[in-house]
Every structure is written in structure tokens, then in C-alpha cells.
Amino acid sequence: MVGGNLTQKEAAAYSPNVLAFYGDSVYEAMVRNRVVLEHQTNAGRLHELAVERVRASYQSDAVGVIEPLLTEREADIVRRGRNAGGVSVPKSAKPSEYRRATALEALFGYLSLTGQDKRLEELFDAICKALPCDDKL
């Protein structure tokens, strides 16, 4: 994963919306990587599988999966992401789901910017094991 070498303090100084902006791309890249490696199918089907895992309701459920695994600092980043202001909720998502999805993205942005790729993989693996989506499509 392409990440930064910021200290935890430097990364935590970014607004939760900036962390979520970056984390959105980190999370989506991880999802796309996973679906390509796990599924021998066409690009259209891969897209469907990826969309299932990046929608707000799935990401909201993912927060519930990883919350018990978080360190105090990680939990703080999630709290900040969930409470971030200035976020416009799309019509396709409930506000509570969208806020939790933003929290997940903020955490993934923070972990990537601080170069914690191993931790990103641990949390992402926990999500994928707890929330399989293949049976829904």
C-alpha cells in the first residue's frame, strides 16, 4: 500500500475529513485487490463485488467488527471521523451509516499515512472474514 511516513502525532493533526478523503482511496484499493485475487471472473462482476464492500452500510457494519480490536488511539480516530462536521450525506445512505463509514475511512487514512500497513491488513482481514458479501450477489 502506498502510505506515508508521518508520525502518529502528525497524522492525527489532520482533520478527520482529510483522513477520510485519503482513507477512502486506501480502503477501495484494498477491496479491489482482494476481489481480483479471490475471484476469477470478468471486470463487471469484480465491480459488483467491490461496490458491495465500499458502500456506506457495509463500511458501517465493518466499524462494528473492528471496534473491539482497536487501540485507544485508533478508537479516537474513529470517534473523530464519526463526529466530523461538514459532511453531506448522499441519498443512498442513512446519516448514521455514512458517519460510521467516514470513521472507517478516517482510520484507514490515518493508518496508511503513518505507514502501518500490517495493521491495515489485520483490520481489513477481520472485516472480510466477518462480513463476506459474495452470497448477497
Side-chain angles (χ1 to χ4, degrees), residues 18-79:
V18 169
L19 292 175
F21 168 80
Y22 180 66
D24 175 55
S25 67
V26 172
Y27 179 80
E28 184 165 357
M30 293 178 81
V31 166
R32 287 175 178 244
N33 181 60
R34 180 70 56 109
V35 298
V36 165
L37 295 177
E38 289 183 351
H39 303 278
Q40 299 293 322
T41 188
N42 62 52
R45 177 75 173 130
L46 293 172
H47 175 73
E48 290 172 356
L49 290 165
V51 166
E52 177 69 19
R53 290 182 176 170
V54 298
R55 63 186 169 80
S57 60
Y58 185 94
Q59 289 182 334
S60 176
D61 291 345
V63 171
V65 169
I66 64 170
E67 275 182 321
L69 309 173
L70 300 180
T71 66
E72 190 174 321
R73 183 178 289 266
E74 291 166 349
D76 183 55
I77 297 295
V78 167
R79 258 189 311 280

Short mmCIF file of all heavy atoms in Angstrom, two decimals, residues 18-79:
data_model
loop_
_atom_site.label_atom_id
_atom_site.label_comp_id
_atom_site.label_asym_id
_atom_site.label_seq_id
_atom_site.Cartn_x
_atom_site.Cartn_y
_atom_site.Cartn_z
N VAL A 18 -10.10 15.07 6.06
CA VAL A 18 -8.92 14.86 5.21
C VAL A 18 -8.46 13.40 5.34
O VAL A 18 -8.14 12.76 4.34
CB VAL A 18 -7.79 15.85 5.57
CG1 VAL A 18 -6.48 15.47 4.88
CG2 VAL A 18 -8.20 17.26 5.19
N LEU A 19 -8.44 12.89 6.56
CA LEU A 19 -8.07 11.48 6.76
C LEU A 19 -9.04 10.57 6.01
O LEU A 19 -8.62 9.59 5.37
CB LEU A 19 -8.06 11.12 8.24
CG LEU A 19 -6.97 11.77 9.09
CD1 LEU A 19 -7.16 11.42 10.56
CD2 LEU A 19 -5.58 11.36 8.61
N ALA A 20 -10.34 10.88 6.06
CA ALA A 20 -11.34 10.07 5.36
C ALA A 20 -11.20 10.20 3.85
O ALA A 20 -11.37 9.21 3.12
CB ALA A 20 -12.74 10.47 5.81
N PHE A 21 -10.88 11.39 3.37
CA PHE A 21 -10.67 11.59 1.94
C PHE A 21 -9.58 10.66 1.43
O PHE A 21 -9.74 9.96 0.43
CB PHE A 21 -10.29 13.06 1.66
CG PHE A 21 -9.78 13.30 0.28
CD1 PHE A 21 -10.66 13.41 -0.79
CD2 PHE A 21 -8.42 13.42 0.04
CE1 PHE A 21 -10.18 13.62 -2.08
CE2 PHE A 21 -7.95 13.63 -1.24
CZ PHE A 21 -8.82 13.74 -2.31
N TYR A 22 -8.48 10.62 2.14
CA TYR A 22 -7.37 9.75 1.75
C TYR A 22 -7.71 8.28 2.02
O TYR A 22 -7.47 7.41 1.19
CB TYR A 22 -6.09 10.16 2.49
CG TYR A 22 -4.92 9.30 2.13
CD1 TYR A 22 -4.39 9.33 0.84
CD2 TYR A 22 -4.34 8.45 3.06
CE1 TYR A 22 -3.32 8.54 0.50
CE2 TYR A 22 -3.27 7.65 2.72
CZ TYR A 22 -2.76 7.70 1.44
OH TYR A 22 -1.70 6.91 1.09
N GLY A 23 -8.31 8.02 3.15
CA GLY A 23 -8.63 6.66 3.54
C GLY A 23 -9.63 5.99 2.61
O GLY A 23 -9.60 4.77 2.44
N ASP A 24 -10.50 6.77 2.00
CA ASP A 24 -11.45 6.23 1.03
C ASP A 24 -10.69 5.52 -0.10
O ASP A 24 -11.04 4.40 -0.48
CB ASP A 24 -12.32 7.36 0.49
CG ASP A 24 -13.26 6.91 -0.62
OD1 ASP A 24 -14.04 5.96 -0.37
OD2 ASP A 24 -13.22 7.49 -1.70
N SER A 25 -9.65 6.14 -0.59
CA SER A 25 -8.88 5.53 -1.69
C SER A 25 -8.07 4.33 -1.20
O SER A 25 -7.93 3.34 -1.92
CB SER A 25 -7.96 6.55 -2.35
OG SER A 25 -6.94 6.97 -1.46
N VAL A 26 -7.57 4.39 0.03
CA VAL A 26 -6.83 3.27 0.60
C VAL A 26 -7.74 2.06 0.73
O VAL A 26 -7.40 0.94 0.29
CB VAL A 26 -6.23 3.64 1.98
CG1 VAL A 26 -5.63 2.43 2.67
CG2 VAL A 26 -5.20 4.75 1.83
N TYR A 27 -8.91 2.26 1.33
CA TYR A 27 -9.87 1.17 1.53
C TYR A 27 -10.32 0.59 0.19
O TYR A 27 -10.36 -0.62 0.01
CB TYR A 27 -11.06 1.67 2.35
CG TYR A 27 -12.10 0.62 2.59
CD1 TYR A 27 -11.94 -0.34 3.59
CD2 TYR A 27 -13.24 0.55 1.81
CE1 TYR A 27 -12.89 -1.32 3.81
CE2 TYR A 27 -14.19 -0.43 2.01
CZ TYR A 27 -14.01 -1.36 3.01
OH TYR A 27 -14.95 -2.34 3.21
N GLU A 28 -10.66 1.46 -0.76
CA GLU A 28 -11.12 0.96 -2.06
C GLU A 28 -10.04 0.17 -2.77
O GLU A 28 -10.33 -0.87 -3.39
CB GLU A 28 -11.63 2.08 -2.95
CG GLU A 28 -12.20 1.53 -4.24
CD GLU A 28 -13.05 2.49 -5.04
OE1 GLU A 28 -13.28 3.62 -4.59
OE2 GLU A 28 -13.49 2.09 -6.12
N ALA A 29 -8.79 0.61 -2.71
CA ALA A 29 -7.69 -0.14 -3.33
C ALA A 29 -7.55 -1.52 -2.69
O ALA A 29 -7.31 -2.51 -3.39
CB ALA A 29 -6.39 0.65 -3.23
N MET A 30 -7.71 -1.58 -1.38
CA MET A 30 -7.62 -2.87 -0.69
C MET A 30 -8.76 -3.79 -1.12
O MET A 30 -8.56 -4.99 -1.33
CB MET A 30 -7.62 -2.66 0.83
CG MET A 30 -6.36 -1.97 1.33
SD MET A 30 -6.37 -1.67 3.10
CE MET A 30 -5.86 -3.31 3.68
N VAL A 31 -9.96 -3.24 -1.24
CA VAL A 31 -11.12 -4.02 -1.68
C VAL A 31 -10.88 -4.55 -3.10
O VAL A 31 -11.08 -5.73 -3.38
CB VAL A 31 -12.41 -3.18 -1.61
CG1 VAL A 31 -13.55 -3.85 -2.38
CG2 VAL A 31 -12.82 -2.95 -0.17
N ARG A 32 -10.46 -3.67 -3.99
CA ARG A 32 -10.24 -4.09 -5.38
C ARG A 32 -9.16 -5.17 -5.47
O ARG A 32 -9.31 -6.14 -6.22
CB ARG A 32 -9.88 -2.89 -6.25
CG ARG A 32 -11.07 -1.99 -6.52
CD ARG A 32 -10.65 -0.75 -7.28
NE ARG A 32 -11.81 0.06 -7.58
CZ ARG A 32 -12.25 0.32 -8.81
NH1 ARG A 32 -11.62 -0.17 -9.86
NH2 ARG A 32 -13.31 1.07 -9.00
N ASN A 33 -8.10 -5.00 -4.71
CA ASN A 33 -7.05 -6.00 -4.68
C ASN A 33 -7.61 -7.35 -4.23
O ASN A 33 -7.36 -8.39 -4.84
CB ASN A 33 -5.92 -5.54 -3.76
CG ASN A 33 -4.78 -6.53 -3.70
OD1 ASN A 33 -4.16 -6.83 -4.71
ND2 ASN A 33 -4.51 -7.04 -2.52
N ARG A 34 -8.39 -7.33 -3.17
CA ARG A 34 -8.96 -8.56 -2.61
C ARG A 34 -9.89 -9.26 -3.60
O ARG A 34 -9.80 -10.46 -3.79
CB ARG A 34 -9.68 -8.24 -1.31
CG ARG A 34 -10.34 -9.39 -0.58
CD ARG A 34 -9.36 -10.39 0.05
NE ARG A 34 -8.42 -9.80 0.96
CZ ARG A 34 -8.42 -9.94 2.26
NH1 ARG A 34 -9.34 -10.66 2.87
NH2 ARG A 34 -7.48 -9.38 2.99
N VAL A 35 -10.78 -8.50 -4.23
CA VAL A 35 -11.73 -9.15 -5.13
C VAL A 35 -11.05 -9.70 -6.38
O VAL A 35 -11.42 -10.77 -6.88
CB VAL A 35 -12.96 -8.27 -5.49
CG1 VAL A 35 -13.77 -7.93 -4.26
CG2 VAL A 35 -12.59 -7.04 -6.26
N VAL A 36 -10.02 -9.03 -6.86
CA VAL A 36 -9.29 -9.54 -8.02
C VAL A 36 -8.56 -10.84 -7.66
O VAL A 36 -8.59 -11.81 -8.42
CB VAL A 36 -8.29 -8.49 -8.57
CG1 VAL A 36 -7.28 -9.11 -9.51
CG2 VAL A 36 -9.05 -7.37 -9.27
N LEU A 37 -7.93 -10.87 -6.50
CA LEU A 37 -7.18 -12.06 -6.10
C LEU A 37 -8.08 -13.23 -5.73
O LEU A 37 -7.69 -14.39 -5.89
CB LEU A 37 -6.25 -11.73 -4.94
CG LEU A 37 -5.13 -10.74 -5.25
CD1 LEU A 37 -4.32 -10.43 -3.99
CD2 LEU A 37 -4.23 -11.25 -6.36
N GLU A 38 -9.28 -12.96 -5.24
CA GLU A 38 -10.17 -14.03 -4.77
C GLU A 38 -11.15 -14.53 -5.82
O GLU A 38 -11.74 -15.60 -5.64
CB GLU A 38 -10.96 -13.57 -3.54
CG GLU A 38 -10.12 -13.43 -2.31
CD GLU A 38 -10.93 -13.03 -1.08
OE1 GLU A 38 -12.13 -12.69 -1.22
OE2 GLU A 38 -10.35 -13.05 0.01
N HIS A 39 -11.37 -13.79 -6.88
CA HIS A 39 -12.42 -14.15 -7.83
C HIS A 39 -11.89 -14.18 -9.27
O HIS A 39 -11.39 -13.17 -9.75
CB HIS A 39 -13.59 -13.18 -7.74
CG HIS A 39 -14.17 -13.10 -6.36
ND1 HIS A 39 -15.07 -14.02 -5.89
CD2 HIS A 39 -13.95 -12.23 -5.34
CE1 HIS A 39 -15.39 -13.72 -4.64
NE2 HIS A 39 -14.72 -12.64 -4.28
N GLN A 40 -12.04 -15.30 -9.91
CA GLN A 40 -11.69 -15.44 -11.32
C GLN A 40 -12.95 -15.17 -12.14
O GLN A 40 -13.72 -16.08 -12.41
CB GLN A 40 -11.16 -16.86 -11.59
CG GLN A 40 -9.92 -17.21 -10.81
CD GLN A 40 -8.73 -16.39 -11.24
OE1 GLN A 40 -8.56 -16.11 -12.43
NE2 GLN A 40 -7.90 -15.98 -10.29
N THR A 41 -13.16 -13.92 -12.46
CA THR A 41 -14.38 -13.55 -13.17
C THR A 41 -14.12 -12.32 -14.02
O THR A 41 -12.99 -11.81 -14.07
CB THR A 41 -15.55 -13.32 -12.18
OG1 THR A 41 -16.76 -13.15 -12.91
CG2 THR A 41 -15.31 -12.14 -11.26
N ASN A 42 -15.14 -11.81 -14.66
CA ASN A 42 -14.99 -10.66 -15.54
C ASN A 42 -14.99 -9.35 -14.75
O ASN A 42 -15.38 -9.31 -13.58
CB ASN A 42 -16.07 -10.66 -16.63
CG ASN A 42 -17.46 -10.56 -16.07
OD1 ASN A 42 -17.76 -9.66 -15.28
ND2 ASN A 42 -18.35 -11.47 -16.46
N ALA A 43 -14.60 -8.28 -15.43
CA ALA A 43 -14.49 -6.98 -14.77
C ALA A 43 -15.83 -6.47 -14.23
O ALA A 43 -15.88 -5.84 -13.18
CB ALA A 43 -13.88 -5.95 -15.72
N GLY A 44 -16.91 -6.76 -14.94
CA GLY A 44 -18.22 -6.32 -14.47
C GLY A 44 -18.58 -6.95 -13.14
O GLY A 44 -19.08 -6.28 -12.22
N ARG A 45 -18.32 -8.23 -13.00
CA ARG A 45 -18.60 -8.93 -11.75
C ARG A 45 -17.67 -8.44 -10.64
O ARG A 45 -18.09 -8.28 -9.49
CB ARG A 45 -18.44 -10.44 -11.96
CG ARG A 45 -18.63 -11.26 -10.72
CD ARG A 45 -20.09 -11.36 -10.34
NE ARG A 45 -20.20 -12.32 -9.23
CZ ARG A 45 -20.84 -12.07 -8.11
NH1 ARG A 45 -21.48 -10.95 -7.96
NH2 ARG A 45 -20.89 -12.96 -7.15
N LEU A 46 -16.40 -8.20 -10.98
CA LEU A 46 -15.46 -7.67 -9.98
C LEU A 46 -15.95 -6.32 -9.48
O LEU A 46 -15.87 -6.04 -8.28
CB LEU A 46 -14.05 -7.55 -10.58
CG LEU A 46 -13.35 -8.85 -10.93
CD1 LEU A 46 -12.06 -8.57 -11.68
CD2 LEU A 46 -13.08 -9.68 -9.68
N HIS A 47 -16.46 -5.51 -10.38
CA HIS A 47 -17.01 -4.21 -10.00
C HIS A 47 -18.17 -4.37 -9.02
O HIS A 47 -18.23 -3.68 -8.00
CB HIS A 47 -17.46 -3.43 -11.23
CG HIS A 47 -18.14 -2.15 -10.92
ND1 HIS A 47 -17.45 -1.03 -10.46
CD2 HIS A 47 -19.44 -1.79 -10.97
CE1 HIS A 47 -18.31 -0.06 -10.25
NE2 HIS A 47 -19.53 -0.48 -10.55
N GLU A 48 -19.08 -5.31 -9.30
CA GLU A 48 -20.21 -5.55 -8.40
C GLU A 48 -19.74 -5.97 -7.01
O GLU A 48 -20.26 -5.50 -6.00
CB GLU A 48 -21.12 -6.66 -8.97
CG GLU A 48 -21.89 -6.26 -10.20
CD GLU A 48 -22.61 -7.44 -10.83
OE1 GLU A 48 -22.46 -8.59 -10.35
OE2 GLU A 48 -23.34 -7.22 -11.81
N LEU A 49 -18.75 -6.85 -6.97
CA LEU A 49 -18.22 -7.30 -5.68
C LEU A 49 -17.55 -6.15 -4.92
O LEU A 49 -17.70 -6.04 -3.70
CB LEU A 49 -17.22 -8.45 -5.89
CG LEU A 49 -17.82 -9.77 -6.36
CD1 LEU A 49 -16.73 -10.69 -6.88
CD2 LEU A 49 -18.60 -10.43 -5.24
N ALA A 50 -16.83 -5.30 -5.64
CA ALA A 50 -16.17 -4.17 -5.00
C ALA A 50 -17.19 -3.16 -4.48
O ALA A 50 -17.08 -2.68 -3.35
CB ALA A 50 -15.20 -3.49 -5.96
N VAL A 51 -18.20 -2.86 -5.28
CA VAL A 51 -19.22 -1.89 -4.89
C VAL A 51 -19.92 -2.36 -3.61
O VAL A 51 -20.22 -1.56 -2.72
CB VAL A 51 -20.23 -1.65 -6.03
CG1 VAL A 51 -21.48 -0.94 -5.54
CG2 VAL A 51 -19.58 -0.86 -7.14
N GLU A 52 -20.18 -3.65 -3.50
CA GLU A 52 -20.83 -4.20 -2.31
C GLU A 52 -20.02 -3.89 -1.05
O GLU A 52 -20.59 -3.59 0.00
CB GLU A 52 -21.00 -5.72 -2.47
CG GLU A 52 -21.59 -6.41 -1.28
CD GLU A 52 -23.05 -6.08 -1.03
OE1 GLU A 52 -23.73 -5.60 -1.95
OE2 GLU A 52 -23.51 -6.30 0.11
N ARG A 53 -18.71 -3.92 -1.16
CA ARG A 53 -17.85 -3.72 0.02
C ARG A 53 -17.48 -2.27 0.30
O ARG A 53 -16.95 -1.98 1.37
CB ARG A 53 -16.57 -4.53 -0.14
CG ARG A 53 -16.81 -6.02 -0.03
CD ARG A 53 -15.53 -6.79 -0.13
NE ARG A 53 -15.79 -8.21 0.07
CZ ARG A 53 -14.90 -9.14 -0.15
NH1 ARG A 53 -13.70 -8.84 -0.58
NH2 ARG A 53 -15.21 -10.41 0.06
N VAL A 54 -17.73 -1.38 -0.65
CA VAL A 54 -17.39 0.02 -0.39
C VAL A 54 -18.61 0.89 -0.09
O VAL A 54 -18.46 2.07 0.22
CB VAL A 54 -16.56 0.67 -1.54
CG1 VAL A 54 -15.24 -0.04 -1.72
CG2 VAL A 54 -17.34 0.70 -2.84
N ARG A 55 -19.80 0.31 -0.16
CA ARG A 55 -20.99 1.10 0.15
C ARG A 55 -21.02 1.44 1.64
O ARG A 55 -20.45 0.73 2.47
CB ARG A 55 -22.27 0.40 -0.30
CG ARG A 55 -22.53 -0.90 0.35
CD ARG A 55 -23.76 -1.61 -0.27
NE ARG A 55 -23.81 -2.97 0.21
CZ ARG A 55 -24.30 -3.34 1.40
NH1 ARG A 55 -24.78 -2.43 2.22
NH2 ARG A 55 -24.30 -4.60 1.76
N ALA A 56 -21.70 2.51 1.98
CA ALA A 56 -21.69 3.03 3.36
C ALA A 56 -22.22 2.02 4.37
O ALA A 56 -21.66 1.89 5.47
CB ALA A 56 -22.51 4.32 3.43
N SER A 57 -23.27 1.28 4.03
CA SER A 57 -23.83 0.34 5.01
C SER A 57 -22.85 -0.79 5.33
O SER A 57 -22.75 -1.21 6.48
CB SER A 57 -25.17 -0.22 4.53
OG SER A 57 -25.02 -0.90 3.31
N TYR A 58 -22.11 -1.26 4.34
CA TYR A 58 -21.10 -2.30 4.57
C TYR A 58 -19.98 -1.75 5.45
O TYR A 58 -19.54 -2.38 6.41
CB TYR A 58 -20.55 -2.82 3.24
CG TYR A 58 -19.60 -3.99 3.37
CD1 TYR A 58 -20.06 -5.29 3.27
CD2 TYR A 58 -18.25 -3.78 3.58
CE1 TYR A 58 -19.19 -6.37 3.38
CE2 TYR A 58 -17.37 -4.85 3.69
CZ TYR A 58 -17.85 -6.14 3.58
OH TYR A 58 -16.98 -7.20 3.69
N GLN A 59 -19.51 -0.55 5.12
CA GLN A 59 -18.43 0.06 5.89
C GLN A 59 -18.89 0.34 7.32
O GLN A 59 -18.11 0.21 8.26
CB GLN A 59 -17.95 1.34 5.22
CG GLN A 59 -17.17 1.09 3.95
CD GLN A 59 -16.65 2.37 3.33
OE1 GLN A 59 -17.21 3.45 3.53
NE2 GLN A 59 -15.60 2.26 2.56
N SER A 60 -20.14 0.73 7.47
CA SER A 60 -20.68 0.95 8.81
C SER A 60 -20.65 -0.34 9.62
O SER A 60 -20.22 -0.35 10.79
CB SER A 60 -22.12 1.48 8.70
OG SER A 60 -22.70 1.62 9.97
N ASP A 61 -21.08 -1.44 9.01
CA ASP A 61 -21.00 -2.74 9.68
C ASP A 61 -19.55 -3.12 9.99
O ASP A 61 -19.26 -3.71 11.03
CB ASP A 61 -21.64 -3.84 8.81
CG ASP A 61 -23.14 -3.70 8.68
OD1 ASP A 61 -23.76 -2.95 9.48
OD2 ASP A 61 -23.71 -4.34 7.77
N ALA A 62 -18.64 -2.74 9.10
CA ALA A 62 -17.22 -3.04 9.30
C ALA A 62 -16.67 -2.37 10.55
O ALA A 62 -15.84 -2.95 11.27
CB ALA A 62 -16.41 -2.61 8.07
N VAL A 63 -17.15 -1.17 10.83
CA VAL A 63 -16.72 -0.48 12.06
C VAL A 63 -17.10 -1.30 13.28
O VAL A 63 -16.30 -1.47 14.20
CB VAL A 63 -17.31 0.95 12.14
CG1 VAL A 63 -17.04 1.58 13.49
CG2 VAL A 63 -16.75 1.83 11.03
N GLY A 64 -18.29 -1.85 13.28
CA GLY A 64 -18.73 -2.70 14.39
C GLY A 64 -17.84 -3.92 14.57
O GLY A 64 -17.61 -4.36 15.69
N VAL A 65 -17.33 -4.45 13.47
CA VAL A 65 -16.45 -5.62 13.52
C VAL A 65 -15.12 -5.27 14.17
O VAL A 65 -14.61 -6.00 15.03
CB VAL A 65 -16.21 -6.20 12.10
CG1 VAL A 65 -15.09 -7.23 12.11
CG2 VAL A 65 -17.49 -6.78 11.55
N ILE A 66 -14.55 -4.15 13.77
CA ILE A 66 -13.19 -3.85 14.23
C ILE A 66 -13.11 -3.06 15.53
O ILE A 66 -12.05 -3.04 16.16
CB ILE A 66 -12.36 -3.12 13.14
CG1 ILE A 66 -12.94 -1.75 12.81
CG2 ILE A 66 -12.20 -4.01 11.91
CD1 ILE A 66 -12.07 -0.89 11.93
N GLU A 67 -14.20 -2.43 15.95
CA GLU A 67 -14.15 -1.61 17.17
C GLU A 67 -13.54 -2.34 18.37
O GLU A 67 -12.71 -1.75 19.07
CB GLU A 67 -15.53 -1.06 17.52
CG GLU A 67 -15.83 0.22 16.78
CD GLU A 67 -17.18 0.83 17.12
OE1 GLU A 67 -18.15 0.08 17.30
OE2 GLU A 67 -17.23 2.08 17.20
N PRO A 68 -13.89 -3.60 18.61
CA PRO A 68 -13.28 -4.28 19.77
C PRO A 68 -11.78 -4.52 19.63
O PRO A 68 -11.10 -4.80 20.61
CB PRO A 68 -14.01 -5.63 19.85
CG PRO A 68 -15.21 -5.50 18.98
CD PRO A 68 -14.93 -4.43 17.99
N LEU A 69 -11.26 -4.40 18.41
CA LEU A 69 -9.85 -4.67 18.14
C LEU A 69 -8.97 -3.43 18.19
O LEU A 69 -7.75 -3.53 18.12
CB LEU A 69 -9.71 -5.31 16.75
CG LEU A 69 -10.59 -6.52 16.44
CD1 LEU A 69 -10.44 -6.93 14.98
CD2 LEU A 69 -10.25 -7.67 17.37
N LEU A 70 -9.59 -2.27 18.32
CA LEU A 70 -8.85 -1.01 18.18
C LEU A 70 -8.07 -0.62 19.42
O LEU A 70 -8.52 -0.85 20.55
CB LEU A 70 -9.82 0.12 17.82
CG LEU A 70 -10.60 -0.03 16.53
CD1 LEU A 70 -11.52 1.18 16.32
CD2 LEU A 70 -9.69 -0.22 15.34
N THR A 71 -6.92 0.00 19.16
CA THR A 71 -6.16 0.60 20.25
C THR A 71 -6.88 1.87 20.67
O THR A 71 -7.80 2.35 19.98
CB THR A 71 -4.74 0.97 19.79
OG1 THR A 71 -4.83 2.00 18.80
CG2 THR A 71 -3.99 -0.24 19.23
N GLU A 72 -6.44 2.46 21.75
CA GLU A 72 -7.05 3.71 22.21
C GLU A 72 -6.91 4.81 21.17
O GLU A 72 -7.86 5.55 20.90
CB GLU A 72 -6.40 4.13 23.53
CG GLU A 72 -7.11 5.27 24.22
CD GLU A 72 -6.52 5.58 25.59
OE1 GLU A 72 -6.16 4.63 26.33
OE2 GLU A 72 -6.43 6.77 25.91
N ARG A 73 -5.75 4.92 20.57
CA ARG A 73 -5.52 5.96 19.55
C ARG A 73 -6.39 5.71 18.33
O ARG A 73 -6.99 6.64 17.78
CB ARG A 73 -4.05 6.03 19.15
CG ARG A 73 -3.76 7.15 18.14
CD ARG A 73 -2.30 7.24 17.80
NE ARG A 73 -1.51 7.76 18.89
CZ ARG A 73 -1.19 9.05 19.05
NH1 ARG A 73 -1.63 9.93 18.20
NH2 ARG A 73 -0.45 9.43 20.06
N GLU A 74 -6.48 4.46 17.89
CA GLU A 74 -7.32 4.13 16.74
C GLU A 74 -8.79 4.42 17.03
O GLU A 74 -9.49 4.97 16.18
CB GLU A 74 -7.15 2.66 16.36
CG GLU A 74 -5.77 2.34 15.79
CD GLU A 74 -5.47 0.85 15.73
OE1 GLU A 74 -6.22 0.04 16.32
OE2 GLU A 74 -4.46 0.48 15.09
N ALA A 75 -9.24 4.09 18.22
CA ALA A 75 -10.62 4.36 18.61
C ALA A 75 -10.88 5.87 18.61
O ALA A 75 -11.98 6.32 18.24
CB ALA A 75 -10.92 3.77 19.98
N ASP A 76 -9.90 6.65 18.99
CA ASP A 76 -10.03 8.10 18.97
C ASP A 76 -10.18 8.61 17.54
O ASP A 76 -11.01 9.49 17.27
CB ASP A 76 -8.83 8.76 19.65
CG ASP A 76 -8.97 10.27 19.71
OD1 ASP A 76 -9.99 10.76 20.25
OD2 ASP A 76 -8.06 10.96 19.20
N ILE A 77 -9.40 8.06 16.62
CA ILE A 77 -9.51 8.45 15.21
C ILE A 77 -10.90 8.10 14.68
O ILE A 77 -11.54 8.89 13.98
CB ILE A 77 -8.42 7.77 14.35
CG1 ILE A 77 -7.00 8.21 14.79
CG2 ILE A 77 -8.64 8.01 12.86
CD1 ILE A 77 -6.69 9.67 14.57
N VAL A 78 -11.40 6.93 15.03
CA VAL A 78 -12.75 6.51 14.61
C VAL A 78 -13.80 7.47 15.18
O VAL A 78 -14.70 7.91 14.46
CB VAL A 78 -13.03 5.05 15.02
CG1 VAL A 78 -14.50 4.69 14.90
CG2 VAL A 78 -12.18 4.11 14.20
N ARG A 79 -13.67 7.83 16.44
CA ARG A 79 -14.61 8.77 17.07
C ARG A 79 -14.60 10.12 16.34
O ARG A 79 -15.64 10.69 16.04
CB ARG A 79 -14.25 9.00 18.54
CG ARG A 79 -15.09 8.25 19.53
CD ARG A 79 -14.83 8.66 20.96
NE ARG A 79 -13.43 8.72 21.36
CZ ARG A 79 -12.69 7.65 21.69
NH1 ARG A 79 -13.22 6.45 21.70
NH2 ARG A 79 -11.43 7.79 22.03
#
